[in-house]
Amino acid sequence: TQEIEALLKLAPEDRSVEQARTVRDWYRRGPSELGSALSEELTRLRKRRDEIEAMLPSVMVMEAVASPRPSRVFVRGSFLTPGEPIEADLPQMLGKLAKDEPARLALARWLVSPANPLAARAHVNRTWELFFGRGIVATGQDFGLRGDAPSHPELLDWLAVEFVERGWDMKALVETIVTSAAYRRSSDVPRAEYERDRHNIELARGARMRMEAEMLRDNALAISGLLVESLGGQSVFPPQPAGTWNSAYSGDDWRESAGRDRHRRGLYTFAKRTAPYVTFQLFDAPSREVSCSRRERTNTPLKALALLDDPAFVECALALARRVVRERTVSVAERLAWAFRACTARAPQPRELARLLELLGSARGDFADESVARERVRVLELDPPDAREIAAWASVTTVLLNLDDTVVRN
């Protein structure tokens, strides 16, 4: 029809919602002038589309109605006694929302308006905390009168203004922070400097802090070459100690993922509030039962044991050992230097290299028995021809993945 022809000539971004819906409905019905072969192909493609859509997870969305229903204050909270009518708006002290667009859209525009610096300041402060371990405002969850005052108010204001003027560009914000002199300072300072400013409020030294739980595992996977970087999809179940999910109230079981899913980023790990992934919980990740705006960092012996014995980290150590043995055809000292640099981003000192050489020699003696070595590496391959060498190097890579320089930002 002429109406459809006119709509098809419009660029997709120029069509209104109603026009786009009209074109979509016309397409789904299928024009009558299609030939039989083309109609069959269209039917096949639609069937395939429906199969793919059936596999995708569904997401609930909301759409604003043309005429919102009236809202009223409920007297003493009872819906049976409606009081005076109310409209979506801001407290008067904060200004007014635009009335010529939907309330949610007007609120979103107000939040990111240059006249409202709070959103930009809060986001900039949270990003700063990610890199320095402490925000310019220490109480990032509370920018009000009860929160802490900013340690560097001019810096906070400048970063917020730059962030807005650059179009809320996150990459530009991160680049500004990580190329600053404050971020690039060394954390290796005399003890008196630590005693004088324990929390590094003055930014006189580099921030030193352990990576967050998800980052620790992702970092180990990336170094070992196991990390799968694919995006999207369903939650996965990485290895963890058996019996973690045992419960008298549920028959659910932790079914370890196999193949590529086993080594996906921590972002995709299945989350159950009543039984969180143990390693993440051990490294202070929140249980997600309540909102968490800032993670506290604790130190216990269990953390060192987890990095040594957790199945996920054992696999990473073995995979890194396999990389060293099979990909680095150089001398032993050069292999050690490469593995050390892959973990810590620096070259080893002579005394460190000597200790690692000593450890490798001892480990080769421990795994001289072929059967013992094969048992050590069985999680990687059924029958590797170089099991003894990989098992010996795994003792070294386990240490490398557990160094402070590997798990702590210096």
Side-chain angles (χ1 to χ4, degrees), residues 88-135:
D89 209 334
L90 299 172
Q92 290 184 358
M93 63 178 294
L94 298 178
K96 285 285 185 180
L97 294 180
K99 298 300 183 183
D100 57 347
E101 55 189 10
R104 289 190 180 90
L105 178 59
L107 177 61
R109 293 190 192 279
W110 175 83
L111 282 173
V112 297
S113 167
N116 172 35
L118 180 59
R121 285 162 56 89
H123 188 78
V124 162
N125 188 73
R126 190 172 295 276
T127 306
W128 185 274
E129 182 178 346
L130 179 66
F131 289 101
F132 286 87
R134 181 185 186 278

Side-chain angles (χ1 to χ4, degrees), residues 1-31 42 46 49:
T1 64
Q2 292 182 350
E3 179 190 7
I4 293 297
E5 289 181 4
L7 293 179
L8 291 175
K9 290 178 181 178
L10 291 174
E13 60 270 17
D14 294 335
R15 297 172 193 155
S16 67
V17 174
E18 191 60 37
Q19 289 172 334
R21 187 178 291 118
T22 300
V23 173
R24 183 194 63 196
D25 293 342
W26 170 81
Y27 168 76
R28 287 182 173 177
R29 289 195 304 270
L42 184 59
R46 286 174 175 169
R49 178 201 63 197

Side-chain angles (χ1 to χ4, degrees), residues 234-307:
Q234 297 184 350
S235 299
V236 296
F237 298 79
Q240 71 170 339
T244 303
W245 266 28
N246 290 354
S247 171
Y249 307 102
S250 172
D252 293 341
D253 189 23
W254 183 273
R255 304 172 302 280
E256 286 188 7
S257 298
R260 290 171 57 84
D261 283 349
R262 190 178 183 90
H263 302 126
R264 297 199 65 191
R265 294 166 55 202
L267 171 69
Y268 300 107
T269 300
F270 186 86
K272 183 178 181 181
R273 289 191 298 271
T274 55
Y277 183 52
V278 173
T279 302
F280 288 174
Q281 188 179 31
L282 184 61
F283 284 95
D284 309 308
S287 66
R288 306 190 185 188
E289 293 176 287
V290 295
S291 175
C292 176
S293 60
R294 180 178 58 184
R295 297 187 186 185
E296 300 295 341
R297 289 181 175 85
T298 60
N299 282 311
T300 66
L302 283 177
K303 292 177 173 56
L305 292 174
L307 293 176

